Amino acid sequence: MLSLAEAELLLNAAQAKSEELGGAHVICIADDAGYPIALRRLDKGKVTSVQIAQNKAFTAAAHRRVTHTFTNTYPGEEAWGIFTQHDGRITVFVGGYPIYVDGKVVGGIGVSGGNGEQDIAVCEAAIEAFAEHMRETGGGKVTIPEAAKRA
């Protein structure tokens, strides 16, 4: 599971990327079950983005896949209605990534406040920084498995 120090590292990298993009994000780092370890609302972040970021982190960690893989769920398809589960916490749009170390989910990141491309960029910057940290410290290999990227 992610430590608070690792969550802070992820938040710091995410914030740096967000600030490059205008700094209007809320960032949530969750544990492997999807519950928040740390949350940061940047100065320009909207209050409505707080719960959205938490829900994206929950969805990514608990469902073990990138949230935008759910965007193509339509009536009659297998995953249709998934967004109604867990009291509506399942999020079916961009901005949530699971965090894998050595092939196992250790947490998730949820980002809300920008457009889809910006939210993805902030997630990916945080995960890249965490991967670099893990390489430097010998803490394990950070990846996003192909299965986590597909519907």
Side-chain angles (χ1 to χ4, degrees):
M1 185 159 74
L2 292 172
S3 69
L4 180 58
E6 291 167 333
E8 291 289 335
L9 181 145
L10 284 152
L11 283 175
N12 291 340
Q15 180 173 348
K17 184 63 174 181
S18 175
E19 288 173 347
E20 287 177 24
L21 302 170
H25 288 96
V26 175
I27 306 146
C28 180
I29 308 299
D31 66 16
D32 61 333
Y35 290 92
I37 298 171
L39 180 119
R40 189 173 295 167
R41 179 177 162 207
L42 304 187
D43 290 340
K44 296 178 186 176
K46 294 177 253 163
V47 69
T48 54
S49 292
V50 172
Q51 187 172 15
I52 295 169
Q54 289 174 322
N55 289 347
K56 288 178 179 184
F58 171 81
T59 301
H63 220 293
R64 273 98 171 110
R65 61 192 252 200
V66 178
T67 57
H68 59 262
T69 63
F70 291 110
T71 60
N72 292 325
T73 56
Y74 299 103
E77 292 184 357
E78 186 174 320
W80 173 249
I82 195 167
F83 53 85
T84 66
Q85 302 305 300
H86 295 279
D87 296 320
R89 292 189 67 201
I90 299 291
T91 302
V92 296
F93 49 92
V94 302
Y97 277 69
I99 301 168
Y100 280 85
V101 176
D102 294 332
K104 295 182 179 150
V105 171
V106 297
I109 180 171
V111 175
S112 180
N115 63 38
E117 288 180 11
Q118 292 169 334
D119 289 359
I120 288 170
V122 172
C123 286
E124 290 180 351
I127 292 171
E128 288 171 19
F130 183 58
E132 179 62 28
H133 167 76
M134 295 297 273
R135 280 191 296 276
E136 290 173 359
T137 63
K141 185 175 182 181
V142 177
T143 62
I144 301 173
E146 285 304 313
K149 297 177 190 177
R150 291 192 299 265

